[in-house]
Every structure is written in structure tokens, then in C-alpha cells.
Amino acid sequence: MATAQEKATPNNLSNNPTASNSSAVPSSWAHPAADPFRNRPPVSALMSAVDSFPDPPPKTTSTTKGIPVMMRAQTCHPLDPLSAAEISVAVATVRAAGATPEVRDSMRFVEVVLVEPDKQVIALADAYFFPPFQPSLLPRTKGGPVIPSKLPPRKARLVVYNKRSNETSIWIVELREVHAATRGGHHRGKVISSKVIPNVQPPMDAVEYAECEAVVKDFPPFREAMKRRGIDDMDLVMVDAWCVGYHSETDAPSRRLAKPLIFCRTESDCPMENGYARPVEGIYILVDMQNMEILEFEDRKLIPLPPADPLRNYTSGETRGGVDRSDVKPLQIIQPEGPSFRVNGHFIQWQKWNFRIGFTPREGLVIYSVAYIDGSRGRRPVAHRLSFVEMVVPYGDPNDPHYRKNAFDAGEDGLGKNAHSLKKGCDCLGYVKYFDAHFTNFTGGVETIENCVCLHEEDHGILWKHQDWRTGLAEVRRSRRLTVSFICTVANYEYGFFWHFYQASCIHVFVDGKIEAEVKLTGILSLGALQPGETRKYGTTIAPGLYAPVHQHFFVARMDMAVDCKPGEAFNQVVEVDVKVEQPGENNVHNNAFYAEEKLLKSELEAMRDCNPLSARHWIVRNTRTVNRTGQLTGYKLVPGSNCLPLAGSEAKFLRRAAFLKHNLWVTPYVPDEMQPGGEFPNQNPRVGEGLATWVQKNRPLEEADIVLWYVFGVTHIPRLEDWPVMPVERIGFLLMPHGFFNCSPAVDVPPSASDLDDKDNGISAKPIQNGVIAKL
């Protein structure tokens, strides 16, 4: 098997900032804050608006099918993640805009992300500026509109916390404007807007966690409490600064608060020791994270530390005085001719699939512009944007401190900011393509996670097989899938997020074509200590003096669908399918009849739905104006996997912030700023039902719309002895499967072209293509 270095040259996600441009930007290019997508101007209007740019047009033009095309190279696709340079520009621009030195010094940068442009701008980029050129994405208008010579400037959105004033603000910075010299000197950004968001607390940062640990360990009463437990060496102590959540008015966001959990190692000379094996209970601490002060401290109950468990560590056998097992021989995954995918920047092509990848500090991996090249039918969109937007982990133990463990790992911490560098241990085998990711740190510097995203192919067993028992002849096809993934660590737990794309072929009417979303859970359980001889009803005793509380993990996938819809079209709807048992009678004389019944979900309140495995319930996103060869509407269906709902009572405090957990499926029409199901700032959020549960109260129509699916799925974890010291991977997820989507008649399927990518490309550096040059269409 190839080493990580041999597998691929890491593909840095950074790109140079686009060339500076001092022209004014028409308001029609701006990313609207709240208007529904279907009410925005058509592409033709956007094209006309560009003609008002004061820049003179370039001299060189070409004509493609009667459309004059102004050619100028574009260095960044509108959906490319911000580069390290762009993040630096955005931070410098905001810091320079501070009114006083004190304000500038107290700025803490929680998040810097790309402002994703309007879908029609993305379509324009894909049609004329970035290969493979796809002019069919845009409608044709009379008079042959002039395609603009440049795309609108890229913008960054910054969440800034002021450590002095305890205020949170949101800034929008235009990255292509060359601004005048200011306090920060020359920089290439321009502040478009800024506003203070009252009564919120932004996500916590790793810098704050480290400072909180240092403050707690230096606090004399804490040191005395640890001495009573036999601990003098503070280097053994681990302090995990959990957010306080919201349980009462004392947790209100007027103060930035944390209630740490304490753990303790046994050996100072063993940096790989599992410190979570010894929780320290009975100590209550409240920390002011703004000023890094201990607000409240109480040693409530002296609970002895659990004894050192010989099974506590998870490192290799040699590090624990033993050996690893040797009865398994090496298993190698090799691709001597390289992989079958191609990569051009962030654009991925594999078989007949193509899509773009992005990455944000909050969501981690984002999949954009998923489409399938379907023979003579050309490019067929499936989804505009796929990502995991939130996850919540509520615990079922009513005892302190476990009752307040209700982590919002995306909204309070950030899945992307906690992602792994796979240089430290790759979870993928075979020929791998890596992508780096860039983030701002709390003080405004730029940090890079190398090898953050993993792209590779996997053999997935048998796709189908049949043997004719009369002739003995058999046919079999293997399944292959393309996997894009990343893994993050949030305190004790690891989460792997995967999107799998499966082969889809219309040849001989054999089709797979599904997309699978999968989450893999592993890592270390969050534990509690027991008194000698004590057991707990709300958990599993896994070692002497040690138990693991029951808990649940919930994930929210947001899927901005576009089944057979070009940008600007809103021709999707959602139907719910249940299997019904026919009533005994004339239509069911043998009492064996059952059938599938469809129900159109006409509005948002009607579309709050739950899974029902007894009726094989699933949901289909259909295009209302496109049919397949049998005359049925084309669609993709969401097939649930194993799932659950919250087991907490309806009055549980964490459900104030997580009302979206009350149903497995929600459906909304696309609105740009409706992104986080629990609101953008769930940390210490006192507002009931903010986010998804509030949006759907508008009860907007869904019979023909630009559809967004919100699928909530989870697992109830009753810990086992086998989950210690490290929990074996548990997998949960769901499928997006074609439902009448493919026109599978061999008569209309065409041989693959060079862009279908069925050849054995090395997948590392696609052949260079000159941006801005329109290929033959």
C-alpha cells in the first residue's frame, strides 16, 4: 500500500486572490439576505447589469454559437473556499476598520467564510468561465447578450467577538477592491457592511479552551480540591471547557460562560495515556471566558478517583509492555494505473458524476453542484449544496454534571475547525487525493490543516448478479464508489463524515446512481465516577469505579436539492411514500394485498415528518416538469437508515435550542440565510425554537419550489463493555437514490466522451486548461 506521501501531492485549497478591480458592483450581483430565490432577477438581467461596469471591455473576444464571449482569466471559482491570503485580507480589513486601538486589539476572529454567491452567478461561472464549459446552464435570450468579462468580486463573512465589550458582530468584506491606505496599511479589502448581533455568544475557540484550562489549574481552591483527591501534579489534570448551554437565566449570553469537566491522568511520563479514564467528580466550576476568571467554585462532594484501569489505554501493544496481534496478514489496496477520478482545483469528475467541494469552519466538508452526465440528455443536476449543518449530543443521566452535557458540536465548537490532518493517521486506503483547509485562529492569524479532506475510490462488493439455472451462465457486476470525507475530534469523541457517490450506468438498463451520506462515530466515551459499590441506573459500569452514561447523537443534513433543475428553476416538490395494507374485501380476497401510496407535502407545516419503518416510509424529490421514458416524473428519493427521536421529555431545557430534533424531516423553500437549524448562535441561546422550527411557521408553499431537505438522524447509545477504552466505529446515515431519474433506454445513451472520465487518469493534476477560453461547444 502506498504511503501517505506516495499517494498524492496534497492539493492546497488556497488560491491567489483574484485580480484587483476598482469597479462598482451592481446591486443585482449582491447576495440577498432573505428574498426567496424564485423572486430574484433572471440571468439575462444579471448579464445586462454587467454591461454597466465602468471597466473598458477587453479587446479580445470570440463568438460561440452567436454569443459574443469576452475572455478574461478567472483565478477563483465563486465556490472555491477562501485561500489563506484571502482570509488574511479579510481579517486585516476588519481590524483596520476598528474605531480605536482598544477596539482593534480586542477583536477576536471566530469565523471567516466565503459569502456564497447567488446560484445564477455560479451558473454563469460554470457556463463560461471554468471548464468544462456548460453554456446550456443559462437561458438564451434574443439579441445575443454579451457575457461579462469578469465575475463579481468574492466576499468574506466574518464573525468577530470583541473581548473587551463582550459584543459579537458580523462583517461583510469585498476582497477584490483595492482600498486606500488606512491604519493597517495597503490591503485589498473593502468593508461592505457590519452589524452588532445583540444577546448572543459565538462559538468557543481552542485558544479559549487552553486559557480556561490554565486558569482553572492555577486557581488555589481547585489545587486544594485536587490534593484532597491525592493529586499534586497539575500536569496530570485535564480541563475540558464545556459550554454551559442554557438551563436558566443565569446562563444568559450577557456573560460568556463555561462549566468545565475535569479528568486526571495517572502517569506524567505517558503523554498517550487515556486521561478520560479518570473523571474527577464533585467539583463545580463556573468560568467567565471573557475575562478568564473563576466566577464560582465549590467542592461539593469528595468522590474518589477511579483506580487506574489496566485496559484504559488505546495505544499499540509495544507502548504498554506487550505486543500487537500478529494473526492477520497485510491487506493491500492498490491501483497500479491510478484512480479513475480527475481533479481540477476543487472540481471533481468521476465516471458520469461531477461536483465541487468546499469546506467551512462550522460544517466542514460541503458538496456543491452535484450533477450527472446522462448521454444525450447532457448535464442533469441533482443537488446544489450538501452538508452536515449541526449535531447535538444530549445525555440521559439526570445527575450532575451529566445532565448539562448537551453539546452542539457544530454551532458551539465547529466541525471544520476541529478537523484532523490526515498526515497524522489516514483513514483511507488506495490512491488518495488530499485537500488542505484554511481557517482563522482566534487572534486573526491563518492556520492550515494539511490533508484535511480525503478523496478516493472504494470497491463496494457486488452491484448485481444473476445466474440462469437452466444454462448455468452467470453475469455479475462489481460496485465501485467515490468517497469524499473528513474526520474531526470534539473533546473525547471522533466523528467521520462521508459522502459516497456510486456508479451509474444506463448501459443495459442497469443503474445504481445513489448518493450515500454516512457518519462514523468512534473515540472515547464521556465517563462518570462511582462510589465504591455504587451502580447507576442511567449508564453502564465499564470498569471499577467507572461508568458511561446513556446518550444520543443527532446529526442534521441540509440538502439544497435541484433535481433536473437549472439555476433559476423551482420545479421540485416532495412526496411521502408509505406502504399501505389493503383492507379485506373485494380487492383483497386473499388478504395478501399491500401497495405504495404517495402523499404530496404541500406546505412546510405539512412537511414536518418522522420516519416509520413499519410502512417503509421514504420521501421523493420530484421534478414537476421532466419525465422519464415511461412518462413518470423524474426524482431522487431519501431513504432513511436506522433512526431515532429525542428520548428527553418535551420540557427538556436543551430542546429550547434544538426544537429541530422533534422531527426527522423538515422541508423548506430555499432562502439564502436559512442555513443553521438552531440559529447561527446556539451557544447560551435563551430563545425558544429559533431557526428551523420558527421558519416553517410561515407555512410557505412547497408544491413547486426550490426545495431544501433537512434530515435529522441519530443513534441512541447504550454503552457496552466492548466500547472501552475506545468505541469501535458505529455507522449511521441515509441514501439519496434515483427514482425514475434515469432514461435507461440504450437507444438514447451515447458512448462516453473524453469528459466522461472513464479512462484511467492519475487524478492528481488534470491537464492544464486555459481559464477564460471557451472550448468548442
Side-chain angles (χ1 to χ4, degrees):
M1 181 180 71
T3 66
Q5 289 75 20
E6 292 170 339
K7 289 175 182 176
T9 301
N11 181 37
N12 196 320
L13 289 190
S14 67
N15 291 284
N16 294 326
T18 51
S20 61
N21 191 321
S22 60
S23 60
V25 182
S27 60
S28 58
W29 282 115
H31 196 321
D35 291 341
F37 175 58
R38 58 179 177 274
N39 293 331
R40 295 182 199 154
V43 172
S44 57
L46 294 176
M47 293 178 182
S48 301
V50 178
D51 293 338
S52 65
F53 277 21
D55 284 358
K59 296 180 180 180
T60 304
T61 62
S62 67
T63 301
T64 305
K65 291 192 175 181
I67 299 179
V69 178
M70 297 181 178
M71 294 179 293
R72 182 182 293 177
Q74 302 290 322
T75 58
C76 285
H77 188 277
L79 291 177
D80 284 353
L82 294 178
S83 67
E86 288 175 316
I87 293 173
S88 295
V89 166
V91 168
T93 302
V94 170
R95 181 172 278 137
T100 65
E102 291 76 18
V103 169
R104 295 193 290 274
D105 291 343
S106 62
M107 285 182 173
R108 298 295 180 267
F109 295 86
V110 177
E111 182 178 279
V112 182
V113 296
L114 174 74
V115 175
E116 295 177 12
D118 187 277
K119 293 181 180 180
Q120 294 163 330
V121 174
I122 297 168
L124 184 64
D126 291 337
Y128 291 103
F129 288 91
F130 291 89
F133 304 102
Q134 303 165 76
S136 62
L137 286 173
L138 300 179
R140 300 300 173 90
T141 59
K142 292 184 178 181
V146 174
I147 305 302
S149 60
K150 58 185 177 298
L151 294 170
R154 283 159 62 85
K155 297 176 184 177
R157 184 179 189 271
L158 298 90
V159 177
V160 180
Y161 174 69
N162 189 299
K163 194 170 177 64
R164 180 181 296 269
S165 65
N166 194 35
E167 289 182 333
T168 300
S169 57
I170 294 178
W171 300 67
I172 303 297
V173 172
E174 188 176 280
L175 296 172
R176 284 185 63 181
E177 283 287 341
V178 177
H179 198 42
T182 61
R183 304 178 192 88
H186 288 282
H187 56 85
R188 302 175 62 187
K190 178 181 179 181
V191 175
I192 302 299
S193 66
S194 66
K195 61 180 178 180
V196 174
I197 310 299
N199 202 33
V200 300
Q201 285 294 335
M204 294 288 188
D205 186 84
V207 171
E208 293 179 287
Y209 289 150
E211 291 177 353
C212 177
E213 181 173 67
V215 166
V216 170
K217 291 162 78 169
D218 285 341
F219 190 59
F222 176 76
R223 287 175 168 265
E224 289 299 320
M226 293 306 297
K227 283 184 179 180
R228 284 194 287 272
R229 290 160 175 80
I231 303 299
D232 292 314
D233 185 357
M234 287 296 108
D235 289 339
L236 297 176
V237 178
M238 298 164 43
V239 181
D240 281 5
W242 281 54
C243 298
V244 299
Y246 187 86
H247 296 272
S248 67
E249 185 59 28
T250 59
D251 299 328
S254 57
R255 301 182 300 175
R256 188 165 176 80
L257 302 174
K259 290 184 178 178
L261 299 179
I262 312 300
F263 304 88
C264 186
R265 293 187 171 94
T266 60
E267 303 174 66
S268 59
D269 59 348
C270 184
M272 289 297 291
E273 182 187 357
N274 176 14
Y276 290 108
R278 293 214 298 171
V280 180
E281 291 204 4
I283 296 178
Y284 169 84
I285 312 173
L286 180 66
V287 181
D288 177 347
M289 299 291 282
Q290 176 190 1
N291 301 301
M292 286 301 161
E293 297 175 352
I294 307 296
L295 296 178
E296 299 176 14
F297 179 87
E298 186 178 354
D299 191 355
R300 292 177 172 174
K301 188 176 182 180
L302 182 58
I303 300 177
L305 287 174
D309 181 6
L311 300 179
R312 68 189 182 278
N313 289 345
Y314 50 85
T315 52
S316 60
E318 289 83 354
T319 65
R320 292 179 280 125
V323 295
D324 288 329
R325 62 185 302 169
S326 59
D327 56 346
V328 177
K329 296 185 182 300
L331 174 63
Q332 295 187 350
I333 308 297
I334 61 173
Q335 294 177 273
E337 298 181 46
S340 301
F341 56 77
R342 283 184 180 175
V343 178
N344 189 350
H346 297 87
F347 184 67
I348 312 300
Q349 295 172 296
W350 179 75
Q351 304 270 318
K352 297 173 183 250
W353 288 110
N354 61 67
F355 55 88
R356 290 187 174 273
I357 66 169
F359 206 86
T360 73
R362 183 173 186 138
E363 304 158 278
L365 178 63
V366 181
I367 307 293
Y368 297 106
S369 305
V370 179
Y372 177 83
I373 308 302
D374 188 5
S376 61
R377 299 187 69 164
R379 183 183 186 274
R380 301 181 64 190
V382 174
H384 174 71
R385 192 182 194 278
L386 306 173
S387 69
F388 295 95
V389 289
E390 190 55 273
M391 64 170 293
V392 184
V393 188
Y395 279 68
D397 187 339
N399 295 286
D400 188 47
H402 309 289
Y403 76 90
R404 57 183 173 83
K405 291 180 180 177
N406 304 294
F408 286 61
D409 285 338
E412 291 179 343
D413 290 286
L415 300 176
K417 291 188 77 169
N418 287 283
H420 292 186
S421 168
L422 297 179
K423 280 189 169 183
K424 299 178 181 179
C426 184
D427 58 295
C428 310
L429 297 177
Y431 212 108
V432 180
K433 169 67 176 177
Y434 295 104
F435 298 85
D436 297 347
H438 305 291
F439 305 101
T440 179
N441 59 29
F442 209 41
T443 56
V446 180
E447 297 184 356
T448 297
I449 302 177
E450 297 183 6
N451 291 15
C452 183
V453 173
C454 171
L455 172 72
H456 70 291
E457 292 177 286
E458 296 178 343
D459 179 272
H460 197 62
I462 296 175
L463 174 62
W464 62 266
K465 180 176 182 177
H466 179 67
Q467 178 171 309
D468 189 318
W469 65 271
R470 291 183 175 85
T471 65
L473 299 177
E475 285 288 333
V476 63
R477 300 290 186 274
R478 295 198 67 79
S479 175
R480 185 185 298 196
R481 66 186 186 184
L482 182 70
T483 296
V484 196
S485 64
F486 81 104
I487 291 183
C488 66
T489 297
V490 186
N492 52 295
Y493 253 110
E494 267 73 25
Y495 301 97
F497 296 90
F498 298 77
W499 291 95
H500 305 291
F501 294 83
Y502 289 80
Q503 288 174 308
S505 174
C506 290
I507 299 173
H508 304 310
V509 203
F510 298 127
V511 178
D512 189 358
K514 65 177 176 277
I515 302 168
E516 181 181 9
E518 183 181 35
V519 179
K520 297 179 181 179
L521 300 84
T522 181
I524 299 172
L525 298 167
S526 183
L527 305 171
L530 296 173
Q531 297 274 24
E534 182 187 8
T535 60
R536 285 281 174 88
K537 177 180 180 181
Y538 307 102
T540 302
T541 301
I542 60 172
L546 202 59
Y547 85 106
V550 295
H551 57 280
Q552 295 181 290
H553 300 260
F554 289 100
F555 305 88
V556 184
R558 180 184 181 274
M559 294 167 281
D560 182 357
M561 302 300 291
V563 178
D564 270 334
C565 284
K566 293 181 180 180
E569 296 180 345
F571 300 148
N572 281 177
Q573 62 180 203
V574 181
V575 295
E576 182 175 270
V577 181
D578 283 290
V579 173
K580 301 285 186 178
V581 176
E582 186 68 76
Q583 294 296 319
E586 182 180 348
N587 294 328
N588 191 15
V589 295
H590 302 292
N591 287 326
N592 70 313
F594 57 91
Y595 59 96
E597 181 178 83
E598 292 185 355
K599 174 186 176 183
L600 176 63
L601 303 181
K602 297 180 180 180
S603 67
E604 290 179 287
L605 292 180
E606 192 176 339
M608 297 187 299
R609 309 300 298 164
D610 295 327
C611 296
N612 185 358
L614 297 180
S615 66
R617 178 173 292 172
H618 59 275
W619 300 276
I620 304 173
V621 181
R622 295 193 306 204
N623 186 292
T624 58
R625 306 193 183 190
T626 304
V627 297
N628 55 29
R629 65 192 181 106
T630 64
Q632 299 170 324
L633 296 177
T634 61
Y636 254 77
K637 67 179 181 180
L638 193 166
V639 181
S642 60
N643 209 334
C644 62
L645 288 169
L647 295 174
S650 60
E651 300 302 315
K653 297 296 176 59
F654 79 90
L655 287 177
R656 294 172 59 99
R657 302 187 292 151
F660 54 88
L661 297 184
K662 294 180 179 180
H663 296 286
N664 296 127
L665 181 77
W666 307 71
V667 186
T668 62
Y670 170 76
V671 176
D673 62 347
E674 294 184 359
M675 290 294 297
Q676 285 83 34
E680 181 168 11
F681 301 105
N683 186 15
Q684 299 180 235
N685 187 350
R687 293 171 290 281
V688 177
E690 184 173 282
L692 188 53
T694 298
W695 304 332
V696 300
Q697 297 305 314
K698 302 173 187 176
N699 206 23
R700 294 166 288 194
L702 300 172
E703 293 184 72
E704 191 171 68
D706 189 353
I707 292 294
V708 178
L709 298 179
W710 308 77
Y711 182 61
V712 181
F713 61 106
V715 60
T716 300
H717 191 186
I718 302 173
R720 310 168 300 156
L721 294 178
E722 289 79 7
D723 291 335
W724 182 249
V726 181
M727 189 183 81
V729 166
E730 184 166 0
R731 296 172 171 85
I732 57 173
F734 61 92
L735 296 173
L736 290 173
M737 300 183 68
H739 186 84
F741 182 79
F742 291 104
N743 187 338
C744 297
S745 170
V748 300
D749 195 57
V750 297
S753 65
S755 64
D756 284 330
L757 308 176
D758 286 327
D759 59 327
K760 300 292 185 181
D761 186 77
N762 64 17
I764 300 309
S765 57
K767 296 178 181 178
I769 305 174
Q770 294 297 322
N771 285 333
V773 179
I774 306 300
K776 184 176 181 181
L777 305 174

